[in-house]
DNA sequence: ACCCTGGCTAGCACAGAACATACTCAGCTT
DNA sequence: AAGCTGAGTATGTTCTGTGCTAGCCAGGGT
């Protein structure tokens, strides 16, 4: 199982842990709230109120985390105006943020597969084929799907055990 | 950028956040120490002492986290014996743990690409071609690489600045 | 018999993550 | 002019993750 290296664990001792990109990434999106906010951003939520309600966090946490995510370049805060209202701000994924899609989907996929007995409440499918997508480690150059190629479906009729629930929603 | 759904954000309000697989996954591997321990496990570290030294966490944290990861089925604790020593235990990834590879690599890849100017200290390559691998969202059925198909290389001579980036990647 | 080493456990301290409640503020609607 | 709404800020508290220091135990080497 361990990855092969030129001699197992060879000189890996030599690189400093502070230089680990995984650790840097966790500094930016390593909290539960950040991850869940990103999930929502991918689902299409853009407004403060939506994030608060749908993620189920408090306004204080949402405000702090959104601010951090904007500061680190994952989200962009930009003004919009609905007719008859004043200018407000919405939060949308930047290119950098978009590239977190594999992280989020990989975690969901793993949770679906190993942490529940039904297949999970949602399926992410290709709009093209309608079939579920996967996150995979592949050779550089393999075709990949981008957020705009994907759709989310509610997994109906698969609720845990014969109980109904979110009917045809 | 938002994923298309059948009508944006349609009835997504109706599913309960507790049922989100992402949240469940975060309950298991949502801490920094858990993620870094997993990184090490993929690199081939198996022993308590190795985890402590290489991740740079305290023994107390390592013990606690390893125990949790074993309890949740991501790692397996199993006895081994080096000649001339007593029986000890090593921690190895289970099948379930192995399937976290995309999560870890996706995070590293993102950190490499967006959080530093050199390409990152390490490259994960296919042992087959020697070329760097990527984590991608793909159609179900696409070939993927498993841990045993991968090797880690130190990215030498590529310390910060004026160095090119993603060479032939 | 002793110490050393790997592999832990225990206790204390701190920072930050998250919660709850309450308050602000701008501008539109009434 | 008063209220409503979206988007926050302010305050206080609890919980968890992590660090530091120290101690423990088992078995082999000496």
């Amino acid at each position: 199982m361990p990855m092969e290296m030129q001699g197992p664990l060879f000189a890996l001792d030599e690189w400093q842990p502070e230089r680990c990109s995984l650790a840097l990434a966790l500094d930016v999106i390593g909290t539960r709230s950040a991850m869940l906010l990103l999930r929502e951003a991918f689902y299409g939520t853009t407004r403060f109120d939506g994030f608060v309600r749908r993620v189920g966090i408090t306004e204080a946490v949402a405000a702090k985390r959104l601010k951090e995510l904007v500061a680190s370049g994952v989200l962009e805060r930009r003004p919009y105006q609905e007719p008859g209202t004043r200018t407000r701000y919405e939060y949308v994924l930047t290119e950098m943020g978009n590239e977190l899609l594999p992280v989020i989907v990989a975690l969901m996929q793993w949770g679906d597969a190993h942490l529940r007995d039904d297949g999970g409440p949602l399926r992410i499918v290709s709009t093209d084929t309608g079939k579920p997508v996967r996150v995979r480690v592949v050779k550089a150059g393999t075709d990949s799907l981008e957020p705009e190629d994907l759709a989310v479906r509610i997994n109906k009729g698969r609720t845990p055990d014969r109980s109904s629930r979110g009917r045809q929603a």
Side-chain angles (χ1 to χ4, degrees), chain A:
Chain A
M1 276 111 175
M3 293 178 189
E4 290 177 38
M5 312 186 220
Q6 43 269 49
L9 283 185
F10 63 139
L12 215 50
D13 270 317
E14 288 170 23
W15 60 275
Q16 301 78 359
E18 331 87 61
R19 304 218 313 128
C20 173
S21 299
L22 175 54
L24 295 183
L26 291 175
D27 288 341
V28 176
I29 54 158
T31 65
R32 178 186 202 74
S33 50
M35 292 270 196
L36 296 178
L37 287 171
L38 284 170
R39 178 200 71 192
E40 277 313 309
F42 281 113
Y43 285 165
T45 302
T46 58
R47 288 155 58 159
F48 185 82
D49 199 50
F51 284 113
V52 170
R53 262 185 314 107
R54 296 172 48 80
V55 174
I57 55 181
T58 62
E59 295 168 352
V61 172
K64 183 174 185 200
R65 212 59 63 199
L66 286 170
K67 209 171 281 182
E68 288 170 7
L69 289 172
V70 168
S72 52
V74 171
L75 294 179
E76 189 191 342
R77 180 173 183 265
R78 61 186 190 204
Y80 72 98
Q81 187 152 22
E82 275 175 12
T85 68
R86 79 174 196 275
T87 300
R88 299 188 186 286
Y89 293 89
E90 61 180 353
Y91 299 86
V92 297
L93 290 161
T94 61
E95 183 53 31
M96 181 179 173
N98 258 321
E99 290 181 17
L100 283 167
L101 182 68
V103 173
I104 301 298
V105 179
L107 278 163
M108 294 179 69
Q109 161 182 299
W110 187 79
D112 280 343
H114 297 287
L115 266 23
R116 48 174 64 220
D117 32 6
D118 58 347
L122 300 177
R123 264 178 316 151
I124 299 176
V125 300
S126 149
T127 41
D128 191 20
T129 66
K131 293 195 169 178
V133 301
R134 302 275 125 193
V135 176
R136 291 275 129 94
V137 178
V138 296
K139 297 177 186 175
T142 307
D143 282 0
S144 69
L145 299 167
E146 301 305 317
E148 58 270 19
D149 305 320
L150 304 177
V152 178
R153 300 270 167 77
I154 291 196
N155 230 353
K156 36 186 150 187
R158 309 258 322 266
T159 14
D161 286 356
R162 63 63 221 288
S163 97
S164 57
R165 166 118 33 78
R167 187 131 305 300
Q168 85 277 283

